[in-house]
Amino acid sequence: MADRRPAKVIMVQGTSSHAGKSLLATALCRIFARDGYQVAPFKAQNMSLNSYVTPDGGEIGRSQAVQAAAAMVAPRVEMNPVLLKPEAESRSQVVVMGRPRSVRSARDYDALKPTIWPEVRAALDSLRREFDVVVIEGAGSPAEINLKQSEIANMRVARYAGAPVLLVGDIDRGGVFAQLVGTMVLLDPEERALVKGHVINKFRGDPSLLGPGLDFLEERTGVPVAGVLPHIGALRLPEEDSLGLAPESGDDGAAVVDVAVMRLPHIANFDDFDPLRHEAGVRVRYVDDAGAFGRPDLIVIPGSKTTVDDLEWLRGSGLAARIVSARREGTPVIGICAGYQMLGRELRDPHGVESSRPLAEGLGLLPTSTTFLQEKVTHQAAVRVVDGRGLLAGCDGAAFSAYEIHMGISSGGAAGPPFRIDTRSDQPVDSPDGALDDEGLTLGTYLHGLFQNRALRRRVLENIASRAGAVLPPPVAEIDVEAEYDRLAAMVREHLDLDLIRRVMGLEDGAPAARGS
């Protein structure tokens, strides 16, 4: 390994957030992996409240975990050395190499970047020593002129790695030629020289109609168009941020279970609910207005990075009162992570971890109290159901995998906890988790990924449908995530000039023997 050449690299940058960088990087990870290369994703800095826990207990952006899965490798902190998790008052928790480092305002974070940049370089160097190909994703736009001097995620990374850049624009938003040309104009000459291909993303219709525009783009910038990617539609992979959340999704026509998920201002790890959206007979609604609350069969309060502030938002919006009233009338409620904390009687924050308020009143639907601590708990976990009542009726003994990301502990209540954690980060433990009310219809837990377990998910949904006097339709086939990665890769192979991309990467000499199909 000592004389191994550094990995070849390709970088995907975008004209804006949500242009399609993450999805294209994911596709390239799967394409190169299927072509036989050992592939790693890399994103120097990710700002997201959707995060994931690596096998050794580090925290990274969810999109890099998705890209690692596409590359068929285990996620690791080097793939996303800096994760920014926005909080209230324009602050963000700064997670470096998988661990919280500090909470900073945007200005204060700029001052911190010079000390972080060496760690970013070291993480990328580490991946390049161990893999054949590293697919690098940028953040936002490289042409944010107010941020260029201090940025550590776009052209600074490309220059350091000598990475050829694909610049992606979203035609679905309109003005894609202005996006691409304008971005090129605002780049420095040495940065423009790194851009080796334009990619137009999310196109609907006949691509031949774009001909004059593509010709102009190449003439104006001197950079070839590497591909026009169609709008792929219902790809069933996790979204990176809440911009991708549809207000309503699921089986509208035959829905017998209506799930109302509170769309908190700082909603986190909302991919917890993707499995519910794909169940037959289930409709999932993201609700941010009391007028749209309706009469759900299940209410869910999701995770949040700013628990107390989002709890106050629930009260100010009128949703808190609707939740409490609905629960008293018999509607089940599930709270996950921050949602679990909100369901309790009180939230104590003696160190100012979550807010400037040392004490806040919870919704009072669980007899628990939460204390925020300065140390974050991040683990992958193996879990069992040990209290099969109410929502969990028929689930006694069910085993499932989950992960924890929280900075608080919750305790209290007469009944025993519904879950028992057997391992954390592959280490044996015997730790309780969660709470159920006396009826078993208010459930709180710190476990993300609860609904990923099909048997447990079906039983909970069947229990809810039964309470409504309905029968859940037979289950549809479980989503084949590997097939989804391959479907994405096949679409990109068809519409992207991979010969151009291999050439600018220096892979023109061919690939090793392919792995899989």
Side-chain angles (χ1 to χ4, degrees):
M1 291 292 289
D3 60 351
R4 180 172 183 163
R5 291 181 299 171
K8 303 295 186 181
V9 292
I10 184 72
M11 187 167 191
V12 180
Q13 297 189 24
T15 58
S16 67
S17 294
H18 219 59
K21 298 184 297 292
S22 294
L23 208 60
L24 179 54
T26 301
L28 290 172
C29 283
R30 176 49 63 107
I31 286 169
F32 288 126
R34 286 298 193 200
D35 285 348
Y37 294 101
Q38 294 287 332
V39 184
F42 179 80
K43 184 165 185 171
Q45 173 189 291
N46 196 349
M47 177 174 279
S48 178
L49 289 173
N50 246 18
S51 60
Y52 187 76
V53 177
T54 62
D56 61 354
E59 187 177 8
I60 63 173
R62 189 71 173 89
S63 60
Q64 277 61 68
V66 167
Q67 290 162 3
M72 298 181 278
V73 295
R76 46 194 280 189
V77 296
E78 289 87 354
M79 295 171 179
N80 178 209
V82 182
L83 175 63
L84 303 179
K85 306 191 74 174
E87 298 184 353
E89 301 169 0
S90 301
R91 303 175 306 168
S92 291
Q93 182 184 70
V94 182
V95 179
V96 181
M97 296 302 289
R99 300 295 174 194
R101 175 92 31 115
S102 61
V103 175
R104 298 285 180 122
S105 67
R107 188 177 299 276
D108 290 341
Y109 175 59
D110 267 353
L112 186 66
K113 285 179 182 177
T115 68
I116 292 177
W117 174 240
E119 296 180 81
V120 170
R121 295 198 316 260
L124 178 56
D125 291 344
S126 173
L127 296 177
R128 294 193 71 184
R129 285 192 297 269
E130 297 179 44
F131 291 86
D132 303 320
V133 170
V134 177
V135 178
I136 306 172
E137 181 189 344
S141 162
E144 302 288 354
I145 55 176
N146 56 313
L147 303 176
K148 281 185 66 173
Q149 271 195 312
S150 62
E151 69 93 7
I152 60 170
N154 286 308
M155 282 298 177
R156 191 173 186 184
V157 174
R159 291 197 305 269
Y160 175 73
V165 173
L166 299 177
L167 185 61
V168 184
D170 177 4
I171 197 170
D172 205 38
R173 294 184 175 188
V176 71
F177 297 109
Q179 296 170 31
L180 292 165
V181 173
T183 298
M184 292 291 285
V185 167
L186 292 173
L187 296 178
D188 297 334
E190 63 270 26
E191 296 171 340
R192 285 197 292 271
L194 289 170
V195 180
K196 302 301 183 182
H198 294 303
V199 178
I200 293 178
N201 193 31
K202 304 180 188 177
F203 180 71
R204 305 172 193 259
D206 181 357
S208 67
L209 299 175
L210 287 178
L214 302 183
D215 292 341
F216 166 82
L217 183 59
E218 294 194 5
E219 291 169 7
R220 181 68 176 78
T221 65
V223 174
V225 174
V228 177
L229 304 182
H231 198 288
I232 195 169
L235 190 70
R236 295 177 293 183
L237 295 173
E239 289 282 355
E240 179 180 10
D241 58 49
S242 57
L243 285 174
L245 280 182
E248 186 170 320
S249 59
D251 192 344
D252 295 340
V256 297
V257 173
D258 178 36
V259 181
V261 180
M262 301 301 101
R263 187 167 182 163
L264 305 173
H266 300 91
I267 187 172
N269 292 80
F270 48 80
D271 56 319
D272 278 339
F273 315 113
D274 284 351
L276 297 178
R277 296 192 299 117
H278 301 306
E279 279 283 355
V282 177
R283 177 176 58 210
V284 176
R285 297 182 291 119
Y286 287 89
V287 178
D288 59 6
D289 180 86
F293 187 80
R295 297 181 61 83
D297 301 299
L298 173 66
I299 301 163
V300 179
I301 307 178
S304 166
K305 187 65 192 69
T306 57
T307 307
V308 173
D309 281 2
D310 281 1
L311 176 58
E312 291 308 302
W313 175 84
L314 276 179
R315 287 198 169 98
S317 68
L319 284 168
R322 297 296 300 271
I323 292 168
V324 172
S325 175
R327 176 64 198 92
R328 287 173 177 164
E329 292 172 5
T331 304
V333 178
I334 295 177
I336 297 177
C337 203
Y340 171 29
Q341 295 168 342
M342 294 180 195
L343 288 175
R345 290 174 175 165
E346 62 181 14
L347 299 91
R348 298 182 178 274
D349 195 354
H351 306 291
V353 172
E354 283 271 341
S355 76
S356 58
R357 297 180 58 182
L359 180 65
E361 182 182 355
L363 298 177
L365 295 178
L366 285 174
T368 53
S369 174
T370 294
T371 301
F372 293 108
L373 304 177
Q374 292 175 300
E375 184 175 351
K376 181 180 283 192
V377 175
T378 55
H379 292 288
Q380 289 189 7
V383 189
R384 287 177 294 122
V385 178
V386 292
D387 187 357
R389 295 182 296 115
L391 284 168
L392 297 175
C395 297
D396 263 318
F400 60 98
S401 298
Y403 62 98
E404 301 173 86
I405 306 175
H406 56 94
M407 295 190 74
I409 56 172
S410 301
S411 59
F419 304 115
R420 181 71 55 176
I421 300 173
D422 294 325
T423 68
R424 280 189 169 121
S425 299
D426 290 329
Q427 298 301 309
V429 296
D430 183 13
S431 180
D433 173 84
L436 275 172
D437 66 1
D438 290 341
E439 293 180 86
L441 298 179
T442 305
L443 169 65
T445 178
Y446 279 115
L447 300 170
H448 294 286
L450 181 71
F451 298 120
Q452 296 289 341
N453 179 277
R454 187 180 198 187
L456 179 64
R457 178 178 75 243
R458 285 291 303 183
R459 183 54 65 93
V460 170
L461 290 172
E462 287 167 355
N463 290 339
I464 294 168
S466 176
R467 288 184 54 78
V471 177
L472 203 65
V476 296
E478 193 80 341
I479 294 172
D480 185 344
V481 177
E482 293 300 312
E484 292 294 285
Y485 289 130
D486 287 335
R487 182 163 73 94
L488 171 63
M491 183 275 290
V492 172
R493 276 188 193 274
E494 181 181 353
H495 297 279
L496 199 66
D497 188 345
L498 286 171
D499 288 338
L500 167 66
I501 291 169
R502 292 189 186 99
R503 186 165 63 251
V504 299
M505 292 175 65
L507 290 177
E508 66 273 20
D509 293 334
R515 283 186 288 148
S517 57

